[in-house]
Amino acid sequence: MQGKEADPKDFPQLKNDTFLRAARGEETQHVPVWCMRQAGRYLPEFRESRAGKDFFETCRSPEACCELTLQPLRRFSFDAAIIFSDILVVPQAMGMDVQMVPGKGPTFPDPLKDPEDLQRLRVKVDVNTELGYVFRAITLTRHKLEGKVPLIGFTGAPWTLMSYMIEGGGSNTHSKAKRWLYQHPEASHMLLRMLTDVIVEYLLGQVAAGAQALQVFESHAGILGPAEFKEFSLLYLRDIARRVKDKLKEDGQDVPMIVFAKDAHYGVEDLSQSHYEVVGLDWTIDPRSARERTGGKVSLQGNMDPCALYAPKERISDIVHKMLEGFGTRGYIANLGHGLYPDMDPEHVGAFVQAVHKHSKQMIEQ
Ligand code: CP3
């Protein structure tokens, strides 16, 4: 990567701003659509590019991240791109070893066991040094997108990252991480604050590198009850949005932020009052009730059950139509309620995107 493509300025002019307009609640000619994990193993070209290469090595190559980000856009008329990376690059930046074990998923060989283990983490993380490769991937991709659609940057939220750092990988109960919340609340807050500080700098670095929107993934929200969610998740989600927005405002910038707290039904009202422009929803919430409960204060994103993509294409079209009727076409970004799975048929993803565009155009023109 050299010259102009390494420079986070003079980016090509944006041709399709539908996603950004919808995030801000402005009028659009169709409902924008993208999919969580749109770059992924369901695409044969993704499997080919990734074959034989270590996952986090791939994450550290700006050229590879750029190529994987662009792949789904060559097939489908998505209205946004999301940078190919992973939420677990943040624990790595803090000094933890994380491996992606094929067939098992992310694995920390040496997870945090007790509060004393916090001493193993870097106290001050220089995001430019530790995560500069993500920033370079964003800058390169923003140039290579040629203004086709906006580029979304992202991070994991503090609680989700904390749970990985303590569990050492995926978990059904998250009981090791939750034990900390009940046995070591002070150390838990200390870790969550450390993560928050890194995340704020990381998101600001992504914007400086060229990210045009930001999504915060609280993928493990649902394992918390309402009280624990408020104390150990929401507080930090709010702090992140407030600090990122304040800093961007100082610089005269305005970048929409999306919060996706999976399975946090009980938190939807609170999340809509947390300084994010967009609340992302999983499929277990009814679109109409989500609208009622968020009172038109924010835009909404989601929420088709990813497994609905296993349905025949005509049925996908009907499900999309109902979803659009539920959410309405204003202040709405169509997406799945979580990521695509590796065994999904790319043609059905195409049918989903087409159905969103077709039905929403008809509804808006009426
Ligand atoms: O297209 C996109 O959405 C952008 C890329 C993206 C990836 N991971 C690429 C990836 C994003 C946004 C993520 C976020 C992420 N990573 C989350 C939050 C979103 C969510 O799913 O709730 C989480 C929890 C992770 C941690 C993680 N990374 C898991 C659980 C896995 C799956 C492991 C497995 O074996 O299936 C990963 C690996 C991963 N991250 C893949 C991709 C495309 C698949 C593995 C591969 O390419 O080899």
Side-chain angles (χ1 to χ4, degrees), residues 37-39 41 46 50 55 85-87 100 164 219 338:
R37 286 281 170 89
Q38 63 192 32
R41 283 175 293 188
F46 178 95
R50 287 266 308 102
F55 178 78
S85 187
D86 201 82
I87 60 168
M100 192 63 69
Y164 268 114
S219 304
H338 202 194

Side-chain angles (χ1 to χ4, degrees), residues 27 33 64 98 107 114 166 190 252 317 341:
E27 244 174 64
V33 55
V98 190
T107 305
D114 301 298
I166 295 172
M190 186 186 285
S317 176
Y341 303 141

Side-chain angles (χ1 to χ4, degrees), residues 70-352:
L70 296 180
Q71 281 179 351
L73 295 158
R74 295 190 190 116
R75 280 188 185 246
F76 314 116
S77 33
F78 284 129
D79 296 284
I82 181 162
I83 191 67
F84 177 85
S85 187
D86 201 82
I87 60 168
L88 299 175
V89 298
V90 167
Q92 286 177 335
M94 295 171 83
M96 293 194 78
D97 184 12
V98 190
Q99 320 274 345
M100 192 63 69
V101 180
K104 188 172 168 212
T107 305
F108 292 63
D110 200 5
L112 303 176
K113 292 203 177 62
D114 301 298
E116 296 83 72
D117 288 340
L118 294 181
Q119 287 165 17
R120 285 177 14 214
L121 301 176
R122 283 197 184 99
V123 185
K124 193 96 191 74
V125 177
D126 180 345
V127 291
N128 287 311
T129 308
E130 301 301 332
L131 294 161
Y133 62 88
V134 181
F135 303 156
R136 288 189 283 281
I138 288 174
T139 302
L140 174 64
T141 307
R142 175 90 184 265
H143 280 293
K144 292 274 193 202
L145 268 169
E146 296 173 339
K148 201 173 173 189
V149 292
L151 179 61
I152 306 171
F154 70 90
T155 182
W159 158 247
T160 295
L161 295 179
M162 169 178 168
S163 77
Y164 268 114
M165 289 159 87
I166 295 172
E167 296 290 339
S171 159
N172 288 332
T173 59
H174 297 262
S175 55
K176 291 192 185 97
K178 287 179 78 181
R179 183 169 71 95
W180 272 53
L181 304 184
Y182 291 99
Q183 270 183 5
H184 313 298
E186 278 177 26
S188 297
H189 281 297
M190 186 186 285
L191 176 54
L192 292 164
R193 268 197 302 274
M194 289 170 78
L195 282 158
T196 299
D197 290 346
V198 182
I199 287 165
V200 168
E201 293 304 312
Y202 182 42
L203 290 177
L204 289 169
Q206 293 189 44
V207 173
Q212 290 154 290
L214 298 168
Q215 175 151 326
V216 180
F217 286 94
E218 188 70 292
S219 304
H220 298 170
I223 200 78
L224 300 172
E228 286 67 41
F229 174 72
K230 267 196 170 69
E231 183 178 350
F232 297 105
S233 168
L234 185 66
L235 204 72
Y236 297 96
L237 290 170
R238 279 193 176 141
D239 196 35
I240 288 165
R242 150 102 17 92
R243 286 163 63 184
V244 169
K245 297 230 160 257
D246 283 353
K247 185 71 182 64
L248 290 178
K249 220 186 207 164
E250 269 175 34
D251 304 339
Q253 276 175 304
D254 172 23
V255 172
M257 293 182 72
I258 307 165
V259 61
F260 174 64
K262 190 168 177 292
D263 294 325
H265 321 239
Y266 47 74
V268 165
E269 283 90 343
D270 281 335
L271 287 164
S272 72
Q273 296 165 34
S274 298
H275 321 296
Y276 291 83
E277 280 79 2
V278 184
V279 175
L281 304 167
D282 64 78
W283 64 90
T284 61
I285 301 185
D286 173 66
R288 279 195 178 78
S289 99
R291 274 291 184 213
E292 275 163 28
R293 290 168 58 194
T294 54
K297 284 190 282 290
V298 285
S299 293
L300 296 176
Q301 175 179 282
N303 77 340
M304 191 175 87
D305 181 351
C307 293
L309 290 176
Y310 295 126
K313 290 182 197 161
E314 309 73 59
R315 176 106 171 84
I316 293 174
S317 176
D318 291 344
I319 294 170
V320 166
H321 197 190
K322 281 205 187 71
M323 178 170 79
L324 285 161
E325 284 176 339
F327 281 112
T329 53
R330 185 81 181 256
Y332 174 50
I333 299 161
N335 203 316
L336 305 173
H338 202 194
L340 286 156
Y341 303 141
D343 67 349
M344 282 171 169
D345 183 343
E347 276 197 31
H348 286 217
V349 176
F352 171 67

